[in-house]
Amino acid sequence: MSLSVAVAPSAEPLSLADAKTHLRVSTTASDAYITALVTVARRHVENVTGRALITQTLDYTLVELSNRMTLPRAPVQSITSVKLYSDANAESTVAASVYNTSSASESVAVVLNDAESWPSVTLRSFDPVVIRFVAGYGVAASSVPEDFVHAIKLLVGHWFETREPIVVGSITAPVPMTVDALLAPYVLRRF
């Protein structure tokens, strides 16, 4: 199983101007570096929580079909397609009438409809199933909950000032504990 970005977010949850204000930076010398830190911080928050912050299109690749396939990012806005690849590398798109989405709290799964079956095809041995879906809170930074934006600010500030992990006694802290505390309530649990 793997997750890849098919269409990246069109914006970041934290603008360069807001990041620079948080960092108390008034020059443009570090703009490219700060912009990169914002992107890396967003990705970190997304990976830790299992959430897409800004609307993006993702490809979830699986090694087999099952009756319920839980998507690894939330909030899911829509399922674009379910594609299968045969052992002859022929691509086919499963009709949307064959499956539906099921959500239990914030987890969304692609679920085979009752009285339906997946297309009968011999799947190739590598990456035979690709679910393309759109996830995120919205296209604008204002759609992202403030806790995530604040965590990104803290990460950017930490990484801008401290370019290596902090070691206090025998404890190494690559990410400030404040960030962990902010994100903990939002981490999606998969069962």
Side-chain angles (χ1 to χ4, degrees), residues 9-187:
S10 60
E12 292 294 343
L14 179 65
S15 70
L16 175 61
D18 288 344
K20 288 172 69 171
T21 298
H22 177 74
L23 296 171
R24 298 186 183 107
V25 171
S26 57
T27 66
T28 60
S30 298
D31 282 5
Y33 183 63
I34 295 168
T35 299
L37 287 177
V38 169
T39 300
V40 169
R42 173 190 45 85
R43 288 182 189 152
H44 176 80
V45 168
E46 289 175 339
N47 289 332
V48 166
T49 62
R51 296 170 186 274
L53 300 184
I54 297 286
T55 297
Q56 54 197 271
T57 303
L58 302 161
D59 285 339
Y60 183 41
T61 304
L62 298 145
V63 296
E64 65 184 359
L65 281 168
S66 67
N67 290 349
R68 180 181 186 84
M69 298 171 285
T70 302
L71 300 175
R73 283 283 190 270
V76 173
Q77 295 175 11
S78 64
I79 307 295
T80 305
S81 65
V82 175
K83 294 189 182 254
L84 306 179
Y85 294 88
S86 73
D87 57 355
N89 286 327
E91 175 188 291
S92 61
T93 302
V94 177
S97 60
V98 171
Y99 60 88
N100 212 324
T101 56
S102 169
S103 65
S105 82
E106 294 184 276
S107 293
V108 172
V110 173
V111 179
L112 184 64
N113 285 332
D114 291 338
E116 292 285 351
S117 60
W118 296 114
S120 179
V121 61
T122 303
L123 298 174
R124 68 183 183 192
S125 60
F126 61 96
D127 303 336
V129 181
V130 178
I131 302 171
R132 179 165 281 190
F133 66 102
V134 178
Y137 287 98
V139 295
S142 59
S143 304
V144 178
E146 189 60 35
D147 288 358
F148 297 123
V149 176
H150 192 64
I152 290 169
K153 285 180 182 178
L154 291 172
L155 284 170
V156 169
H158 175 71
W159 291 336
F160 187 78
E161 293 297 327
T162 311
R163 307 221 172 166
E164 296 166 14
I166 296 174
V167 178
V168 179
S170 62
I171 300 171
T172 301
V175 175
M177 291 188 320
T178 308
V179 172
D180 292 340
L182 276 171
L183 299 179
Y186 299 100
V187 174

